[in-house]
Amino acid sequence: MCNILFCVFLLIPYPNQPDWESIDDDYSTGGALVDIDLDGDIDFVTGNGNDMDQDPNRVYYNDADTLERIASWVSSDIGYNAHISVGDINYDGYPDLAVANYGDPSTPQYDKIYYNQAGTFQQTPGWQPSDLDNSFACAFGDVDGDGDLDLAVACGEEYTDSLQRAKIYLNDNGTIDTVPCWQSNIESYFYDAAWVDIDMDGDLDLALAGHHRENLIYLNNGGNLDTLPFWQSANSLGTLKIAFGDIDNDGDLDLVCANNAQTGGTSNCELYLNDGTTLDTIPAWTSQNLNYYSCVALGDVDRDGDLDFAAGGWWESIKVFENTSGTLPQTPSWQWVPTSIYHLVCENISFGDVDNTLPTTVTDEVHIVDASSRTFYLQNRWLKNVTEVRRSTGALSLDQYCFSYTDGWISVADIFTQAETLWVDYSYSLDLDLIVTNWHASRGNFLFLNTTGTGTQEVVKTKLNDIVNFPNPNRGNFTVTLNIDDIRIRIYDITGRLVADQRNKSVNITTPGVYFMSIYERDELVTRRKIVVVQ
């Protein structure tokens, strides 16, 4: 009999050693996999320095599906640079770079933006705000619903007991204002910021991570954030990083966070479930306790249709917790640490198809918007690019919509008087490689290539209304329930070998194990599901 736990471990498709390591001497903190030069492959951007040293920021360009080990672009300025955000501010199609400036940490600093000039960033920042702060993270999002990217900044510094307010700077016709339009009513040690439509009303709300303070969410009402938090966590742990995604596949967005115990408390990762209108205040899942968790990220690394949970820490292993039908294990399903654990201080995790194993495009994905609900999530995240958004009268211009590379939302401008259909063309990463920034000057950043077999590497064109149900885990005999009549089912084992190819909905698998089921309507692949068969 096959042991289920053993099979699940096999499903995390990363090698025992990294496939790439950068050559630098930075204290790397922020990281993003984004196609900076629009040549069709994703490059690696880092923000460097933290509170340890004044370092430059870098871009490791992707050449022939491989990242260069020595960065081609290096900023001329240096700073205590922390986490970053990437997006097209000025409507030219090229992603620009925002960098939070943490400080030394006793001296506040200016945050910064480097504008993209046809494939490479400016050598020195083209923007800084009028005010100084200690910022550890920043995030692009459309708070006022005008179709362009505004900038949120998480401020505060615990080591020097500097309580500060989070801020938002508006985008005014392609230029970020230097004076904030909104500040949080609460002063805190804010260490991360994220935009999310938490109540699914068609606009972006702002989530903030509080270090030994409550995590908060401020609701968006008609393009303005509330002055008081809509939600706050019951715990006041040392949260350093947050991320949102539908862990339990119920159609709304859940919160995951990494808590760090360097200055007290408990260090673990947590999951807060969304009940459809708000988050629970008590976590539904916590990982095992360690000392220094510092970052989290979500991605479907095993291509089974749900979001797996990746985490890292200071002098801790990089970990992936495999999502099985909405359930996360207490202990990691995959992890890696270098020979000396002191050579890995993980600050950020990013996903993307670095080696272009499975270039994936979607055409004519349908979404409905109206005058008051104009933010929607694509069926896929970890975007390479959004190539076009169309309404019945033609394509929207670049100043009429913006999007998130990591979370997969699109926000469109207030140009609708009634409900309209939009069609979206975009490319995204289906084969998720994992890359981490490393706050350790004697080692570089690390990349792990996804090793999923080619037997399941087919382009998925998921349909909005497809509903697939079957028992999972199961004993190998079941019927698939779904709203497709002209059906074809192909089933692959974990090595990629085709074990079934049929035109009916009744499945019979005689050998226990883990399988991948691809479902077609006629000859079009519409969805894929993982199957766990037990005896």
Side-chain angles (χ1 to χ4, degrees):
M1 173 180 174
C2 181
N3 182 283
I4 300 175
L5 186 60
F6 177 72
C7 291
V8 170
F9 270 59
L10 289 177
L11 282 177
I12 303 304
Y14 296 126
N16 294 327
Q17 295 295 329
D19 297 282
W20 172 92
E21 180 179 349
S22 63
I23 298 175
D24 54 58
D25 58 356
D26 298 327
Y27 291 92
S28 293
T29 301
L33 285 170
V34 178
D35 186 1
I36 299 302
D37 51 2
L38 302 187
D39 64 349
D41 51 32
I42 52 178
D43 313 300
F44 185 46
V45 189
T46 61
N48 308 306
N50 208 297
D51 59 352
M52 293 295 294
D53 192 16
Q54 295 195 71
D55 289 334
N57 302 303
R58 301 182 190 269
V59 175
Y60 301 86
Y61 281 96
N62 193 328
D63 181 20
D65 303 336
T66 301
L67 293 177
E68 57 191 4
R69 297 183 68 200
I70 299 175
S72 291
W73 179 83
V74 182
S75 65
S76 297
D77 69 305
I78 58 175
Y80 297 101
N81 303 298
H83 288 284
I84 65 176
S85 188
V86 183
D88 180 12
I89 301 170
N90 54 355
Y91 327 133
D92 64 354
Y94 286 93
D96 308 300
L97 171 63
V99 180
N101 200 337
Y102 189 44
D104 63 353
S106 59
T107 305
Q109 305 286 327
Y110 290 109
D111 302 313
K112 58 188 76 173
I113 290 175
Y114 302 84
Y115 286 96
N116 193 326
Q117 300 176 314
T120 186
F121 294 126
Q122 298 168 300
Q123 288 299 122
T124 57
W127 175 92
Q128 69 179 34
S130 60
D131 48 352
L132 298 162
D133 51 41
N134 297 101
S135 300
F136 198 60
C138 57
F140 282 124
D142 185 8
V143 66
D144 53 354
D146 63 352
D148 57 25
L149 292 172
D150 312 304
L151 182 65
V153 181
C155 309
E157 211 294 304
E158 189 187 33
Y159 294 138
T160 58
D161 194 25
S162 179
L163 294 163
Q164 298 174 27
R165 301 180 192 275
K167 306 170 185 178
I168 297 175
Y169 300 90
L170 281 184
N171 188 330
D172 183 11
N173 295 316
T175 302
I176 301 294
D177 291 342
T178 59
V179 177
C181 70
W182 178 92
Q183 297 189 53
S184 61
N185 66 308
I186 295 172
E187 291 185 331
S188 183
Y189 312 122
F190 291 120
Y191 275 79
D192 199 13
W195 293 98
V196 58
D197 186 3
I198 198 66
D199 53 355
M200 303 300 286
D201 65 346
D203 55 27
L204 289 172
D205 314 302
L206 179 63
L208 298 168
H211 195 62
H212 294 122
R213 296 291 193 274
E214 291 83 2
N215 299 323
L216 308 175
I217 297 179
Y218 289 85
L219 275 192
N220 190 330
N221 283 299
N224 296 292
L225 284 189
D226 288 347
T227 56
L228 300 176
F230 163 74
W231 174 90
Q232 64 183 39
S233 60
N235 295 336
S236 300
L237 299 178
T239 304
L240 290 182
K241 204 84 172 84
I242 57 177
F244 287 89
D246 188 2
I247 295 290
D248 52 0
N249 279 327
D250 65 350
D252 51 35
L253 296 167
D254 311 305
L255 166 67
V256 295
C257 59
N259 300 314
N260 188 290
Q262 185 191 34
T263 56
T266 301
S267 177
N268 58 22
C269 296
E270 294 181 315
L271 163 65
Y272 293 84
L273 291 176
N274 192 328
D275 66 7
T277 58
T278 187
L279 293 176
D280 295 339
T281 59
I282 302 296
W285 170 87
T286 58
S287 69
Q288 86 282 36
N289 293 339
L290 294 174
N291 291 321
Y292 304 117
Y293 276 113
S294 59
C295 57
V296 291
L298 296 172
D300 184 7
V301 303
D302 51 4
R303 297 189 221 153
D304 65 350
D306 55 29
L307 290 174
D308 306 301
F309 183 116
W314 306 342
W315 312 290
E316 306 281 4
S317 64
I318 304 163
K319 307 168 178 65
V320 176
F321 300 86
E322 203 266 341
N323 186 340
T324 305
S325 301
T327 300
L328 298 172
Q330 285 278 302
T331 56
S333 309
W334 172 89
Q335 58 184 325
W336 176 81
V337 69
T339 304
S340 172
I341 198 170
Y342 298 105
H343 289 168
L344 177 60
V345 184
C346 182
E347 291 282 1
N348 188 82
I349 300 171
S350 298
F351 289 115
D353 189 1
V354 173
D355 58 354
N356 277 319
T357 298
L358 194 56
T360 310
T361 59
V362 174
T363 303
D364 292 337
E365 186 173 295
V366 174
H367 294 271
I368 309 297
V369 296
D370 58 36
S372 62
S373 179
R374 302 190 310 278
T375 296
F376 55 88
Y377 285 83
L378 298 172
Q379 296 168 46
N380 304 284
R381 53 195 292 171
W382 305 111
L383 303 182
K384 287 187 172 182
N385 203 5
V386 175
T387 51
E388 192 170 80
V389 179
R390 293 183 302 282
R391 61 196 298 193
S392 59
T393 56
L396 302 189
S397 58
L398 291 177
D399 62 345
Q400 292 179 321
Y401 71 91
C402 57
F403 65 91
S404 167
Y405 286 97
T406 55
D407 296 322
W409 52 256
I410 292 182
S411 180
V412 295
D414 186 9
I415 55 177
F416 306 95
T417 58
Q418 60 186 2
E420 287 194 37
T421 299
L422 295 182
W423 294 268
V424 184
D425 300 344
Y426 64 96
S427 56
Y428 72 100
S429 293
L430 179 59
D431 180 81
L432 292 182
D433 307 316
L434 182 154
I435 198 166
V436 299
T437 58
N438 184 23
W439 174 99
H440 198 288
S442 68
R443 294 295 302 267
N445 306 297
F446 299 107
L447 168 68
F448 299 84
L449 296 177
N450 195 302
T451 60
T452 302
T454 57
T456 60
Q457 293 177 356
E458 300 171 77
V459 176
V460 180
K461 297 180 179 178
T462 307
K463 295 185 176 179
L464 287 174
N465 298 321
D466 287 339
I467 300 173
V468 179
N469 292 305
F470 60 91
N472 198 23
N474 58 75
R475 298 189 181 279
N477 290 284
F478 60 88
T479 299
V480 180
T481 302
L482 73 169
N483 59 344
I484 294 176
D485 294 324
D486 190 353
I487 187 176
R488 182 176 187 178
I489 294 177
R490 287 179 172 175
I491 299 175
Y492 301 87
D493 67 15
I494 198 168
T495 68
R497 182 175 61 89
L498 183 67
V499 297
D501 189 348
Q502 61 191 60
R503 294 281 182 180
N504 62 77
K505 302 178 183 180
S506 297
V507 174
N508 181 28
I509 301 174
T510 58
T511 303
V514 177
Y515 299 85
F516 294 96
M517 176 170 62
S518 298
I519 298 177
Y520 300 77
E521 182 177 17
R522 298 179 180 90
D523 293 320
E524 181 183 21
L525 180 63
V526 294
T527 192
R528 179 181 294 112
R529 293 290 186 269
K530 182 182 67 179
I531 307 171
V532 178
V533 175
V534 298
Q535 202 168 55

